[in-house]
Amino acid sequence: MMIEFLHRDEIDDSRWDACINKALNSLIYAYSWYLDEVCDDWDALVYDDYKAVMPLPHRRKWGFTYCYQPFFCQQLGVFSTTETGEALVAAFFSALPAHYTLFDVQLNSFSKPGTGIGVLKKRINYRLPLIQVYEKIASGYNNNTKRNIKKAEANKIVPFENADPYSVIAMYRRNYADKTPEITDTDYDRLTRLVSKAIKMGALQAWGLYDEHNSLCGGAIFLTDHKNLYYLLGGADDAGRYNGAMHTLFDALIKRYAGLDLVLDFEGSDIEGIARFYAGLGAKPLSYYHLRINRLPWWLKLFKK
């Protein structure tokens, strides 16, 4: 297979994005504009005049270049307009340049490599098709979800579709910064730029949750493309969590988009409590994979296990 390595400045953005748009396994994370916002830098492998592509986000440390998974970018890997079989995926990894001494990336569900290519770890995503009418989807809610929706309504928690996304980010940061110390100030700055870009691309939905005093007590940011609604970030303050705010937010979102040929992608989770929340809305698990290929010198492998 003719797979070419290209630096970022050699990539034809229009042809790249056309490939992602037509790909059988298309995801918003792989569009050139999205990668430009979330990655420090990225190059790519390109097959047969952009029939299939694989982005390579990379950084450099201690004199070594390595591929990594950017924040706010759940899955990458191979994206193809024609096929996503094991042979194509294997060909891409065979073409991975040797100067990437570490490859530590999460692959989309159709990019699982065969045996012998690094160390694979299964991860779980949750997805909910929205093509059914609202009543049909809501019949799949579990009892806990239904109770929390009623609880939020009784406590006058109101979801609002056109919230200010920057206020939602600020609310999230106030309430979750201590729970997510791995997200740095630099990452929040990058998230703000991503949101601004997504607004320009017509690819963003922000929802707010307001209490009886018209104060923002929760919210969520969703990305949109022609196939999916992606739950990028969200949460509630202590009162909002106690009053079932996020349950009523997702119920309102589902009611808004029910009947459309879209899938609500929850972006995870392997955490039991969060997975239970998504499953309670009727979402079903779908596996994807974290792949680690370690070509570092032996003395560095001791620190990068």
Side-chain angles (χ1 to χ4, degrees), residues 33-44:
W33 65 265
Y34 198 98
L35 292 164
D36 285 343
E37 296 300 332
V38 300
C39 299
D40 290 1
D41 197 1
W42 64 282
D43 298 324

Side-chain angles (χ1 to χ4, degrees), residues 75-148:
Q75 301 176 31
L76 291 174
V78 178
F79 296 88
S80 174
T81 61
T82 56
E83 60 172 306
T84 54
E86 188 174 303
L88 179 67
V89 174
F92 268 90
F93 280 103
S94 293
L96 190 66
H99 67 264
Y100 293 122
T101 52
L102 180 68
F103 184 92
D104 197 359
V105 174
Q106 292 173 177
L107 310 176
N108 67 73
S109 298
F110 300 94
S111 284
K112 181 183 177 183
T115 57
I117 303 178
V119 178
L120 274 179
K121 180 181 179 181
K122 182 186 288 188
R123 305 205 63 183
I124 300 296
N125 190 18
Y126 277 81
R127 289 168 59 83
L128 176 65
L130 300 175
I131 197 167
Q132 300 284 350
V133 298
Y134 167 73
E135 291 76 13
K136 178 67 174 177
I137 300 173
S139 69
Y141 295 172
N142 67 13
N143 290 333
N144 182 64
T145 297
K146 294 174 183 177
R147 281 195 302 271
N148 275 285

Side-chain angles (χ1 to χ4, degrees), residues 41-82:
D41 197 1
W42 64 282
D43 298 324
L45 294 173
V46 176
Y47 165 63
D48 194 13
D49 196 26
Y50 293 87
K51 287 182 180 176
V53 299
M54 179 175 164
L56 300 170
H58 61 84
R59 287 173 170 162
R60 191 165 177 81
K61 187 173 183 180
W62 298 332
F64 297 96
T65 302
Y66 65 98
C67 289
Y68 74 104
Q69 191 70 32
F71 276 118
F72 316 114
C73 182
Q74 190 201 40
Q75 301 176 31
L76 291 174
V78 178
F79 296 88
S80 174
T81 61
T82 56

Side-chain angles (χ1 to χ4, degrees), residues 225-236:
D225 62 20
H226 61 298
K227 288 187 174 184
N228 301 294
L229 286 170
Y230 306 82
Y231 177 36
L232 182 66
L233 172 144

Side-chain angles (χ1 to χ4, degrees), residues 157 171-172 174-176 179 209 211 215-219 234-246:
I157 304 294
M171 177 280 306
Y172 181 89
R174 284 194 305 272
N175 288 280
Y176 293 90
K179 301 178 181 67
L209 288 157
D211 62 21
S215 296
L216 185 71
C217 63
D237 63 17
D238 290 342
R241 287 193 292 273
Y242 176 77
N243 289 317
M246 293 304 292

Side-chain angles (χ1 to χ4, degrees), residues 152-173:
E153 291 172 350
N155 285 281
K156 299 179 181 179
I157 304 294
V158 179
F160 178 67
E161 181 176 354
N162 296 306
D164 172 27
Y166 307 106
S167 296
V168 173
I169 292 172
M171 177 280 306
Y172 181 89
R173 194 170 183 177

